[in-house]
Amino acid sequence: MNAKVQIQLSEQLIPFYSVADIISAYSLASESAIQLRTLTNQISKATVFVKAYAEENKVDSTIFAELENLIVISHQLANSQADTYGLELKRHKQEPDDQYNAGDLHDAYSLAYENTSWLQTMFYQIKDEAEIVKDAVKQNIHSAVFGGLDNLIHIAAYLADNHSNTFDVEREKYEAAWEVSKND
């Protein structure tokens, strides 16, 4: 009796990803944090310029305190984020796992989304505070002096919003893939 035995291997139910995928996620997050940190530095420099101009025009410089504090906090957040992503990149490059799943990528993009959303919120707070300062000094200083600062704040808010949206889309994509794989 010649019986044919046919073995069919089941399809891999859980999609796996490579170390390149996780490194790509943290690299994108790191680059975003570094860009936003750079913009925060430039916002700080522009604020120093406007404050010095205000002091030359006999404006009480304490009006800038809240704006400066928000900028410092934003800078600390961006530094912390860049450091976190740098550590994750180093960890995955030096000791990569054999495989990653959608949950790992969901975690990476969720972290990036949350952190970038925080910076986005900070830039909108900075924008609002700069408007308060501009309004408070409008008797002594023309609003054009704030032009560079305003532009930098708008660029930073736009980039933070754009990065946040990108990370949110990726987060949702991997969350859906992870949920499907858990139900299989």
Side-chain angles (χ1 to χ4, degrees):
M1 174 167 191
N2 269 348
K4 286 188 179 181
V5 176
Q6 189 175 26
I7 299 175
Q8 184 176 358
L9 298 175
S10 65
E11 201 177 301
Q12 183 178 353
L13 297 178
I14 300 175
F16 288 101
Y17 302 89
S18 71
V19 68
D21 296 315
I22 200 85
I23 287 174
S24 177
Y26 283 115
S27 291
L28 182 60
S30 179
E31 290 168 16
S32 297
I34 291 168
Q35 289 172 0
L36 295 174
R37 179 178 60 195
T38 299
L39 283 165
T40 303
N41 287 338
Q42 293 305 307
I43 290 168
S44 180
K45 288 177 184 179
T47 301
V48 168
F49 168 79
V50 172
K51 183 179 176 181
Y53 186 86
E55 288 171 342
E56 288 174 10
N57 287 281
K58 311 295 187 235
V59 172
D60 180 16
S61 63
T62 60
I63 189 75
F64 289 87
E66 192 72 15
L67 177 60
E68 291 171 318
N69 288 336
L70 289 169
I71 294 167
V72 167
I73 292 167
S74 298
H75 191 263
Q76 290 171 344
L77 275 173
N79 276 340
S80 175
Q81 291 172 16
D83 291 347
T84 298
Y85 304 137
L87 289 172
E88 286 296 321
L89 279 169
K90 183 178 178 181
R91 180 173 70 90
H92 291 290
K93 286 178 180 179
Q94 289 179 348
E95 300 172 12
D97 292 338
D98 290 337
Q99 55 193 6
Y100 295 88
N101 60 39
D104 297 317
L105 288 164
H106 171 261
D107 291 347
Y109 284 112
S110 291
L111 178 64
Y113 168 69
E114 183 175 347
N115 288 342
T116 307
S117 295
W118 291 352
L119 277 173
Q120 177 186 13
T121 300
M122 291 303 297
F123 289 129
Y124 284 113
Q125 286 299 120
I126 289 169
K127 179 182 171 284
D128 291 347
E129 190 61 33
E131 288 298 320
I132 291 168
V133 171
K134 192 187 315 182
D135 191 50
V137 300
K138 68 183 176 188
Q139 298 293 334
N140 301 56
I141 299 175
H142 192 276
S143 64
V145 174
F146 288 83
L149 176 61
D150 287 341
N151 288 338
L152 287 167
I153 293 168
H154 288 282
I155 291 167
Y158 169 79
L159 276 179
D161 186 45
N162 191 40
H163 292 317
S164 180
N165 289 338
T166 298
F167 294 135
D168 192 31
V169 166
E170 292 299 307
R171 178 189 65 78
E172 288 176 352
K173 177 175 83 175
Y174 288 110
E175 180 178 39
W178 181 239
E179 289 302 319
V180 166
S181 70
K182 288 191 313 188
N183 292 329
D184 285 342

